[in-house]
Amino acid sequence: MSESKLKAILFDIENTLLDSAELKKRCIEFAVDSMIESGLSLEREEAKELLWKDYSKRFHGPNVISDFLKNNNQMDEKILKAGINGYKKGWTQTIETYPQVRETLTHLKSLGLRLAIVTDAPLRNAKKILDGLNLSKYFEVIAAPKSSAEAFKRKPSATLFLEALDSLGLGPSDAAHVGDRLKRDIKGANDVGLISIHAKYGEIFSDNGFKCKADYEINAFDELLGVVHSINQKT
């Protein structure tokens, strides 16, 4: 059997391994219901809409709920605690991968491929999400900003891509990257020289006007297996 051309696959997390927008919406519902029970004097739908506006711009974190309460003159420690606990409860109870993620990752590992994460999410958040999804065992490397102070590392910067490759001991020609954002994932992968794979099923941001083309596109996570086969068939 000839040696596989592809040695590794790098993955984004949010909207690539899981539908993070849908997860946040469910968590917000838990948070709002908990806050209303504790005295929040806003209508449920209004509160959900206001909190979603904040969470759609930022990563998970209790500061978002704190700022939401302050901005709407509802700050109260009891309500804040209820909101944070409600959000955490929603996160624990509803976090899930896209269909066929575990099965596909298992298959990729069985092919001898090495898997890594390249994400703009802070490292602590990335680890928490992977642990929550029971996916940590699949990935050798997590390349992510250590804190908000390292925002300069975020994609499409080459920094995290190269960090992951260096940790794997591989070069760009040995690997592919899968992500949902044209401006960040695909441009970043293309610039580094990785094979770029656009996870179109997770595309919720308006990147369509951005002039950047991926080497491959997938409309469901398990289509990645066919892409890997195609890559390895090329001479």
Side-chain angles (χ1 to χ4, degrees), residues 172-205:
S173 62
D174 297 319
H177 176 70
V178 185
D180 64 294
R181 298 293 303 271
L182 288 174
K183 289 183 179 180
R184 297 181 182 179
D185 295 293
I186 304 309
K187 183 181 187 305
N190 287 346
D191 288 350
V192 170
L194 291 155
I195 296 170
S196 56
I197 304 172
H198 186 200
K200 287 184 68 68
Y201 57 84
E203 187 180 43
I204 62 171
F205 297 100

Side-chain angles (χ1 to χ4, degrees), residues 148-161:
S148 58
E150 292 189 338
F152 64 91
K153 289 186 174 181
R154 290 177 180 169
K155 297 173 282 187
S157 167
T159 305
L160 295 175
F161 295 104

Side-chain angles (χ1 to χ4, degrees), residues 115-139:
L115 309 182
I117 293 293
V118 176
T119 177
D120 288 340
L123 182 60
R124 180 178 177 182
N125 289 17
K127 289 180 176 179
K128 180 181 177 182
I129 293 171
L130 292 174
D131 286 345
L133 293 169
N134 294 316
L135 295 181
S136 297
K137 64 182 179 181
Y138 292 101
F139 301 101

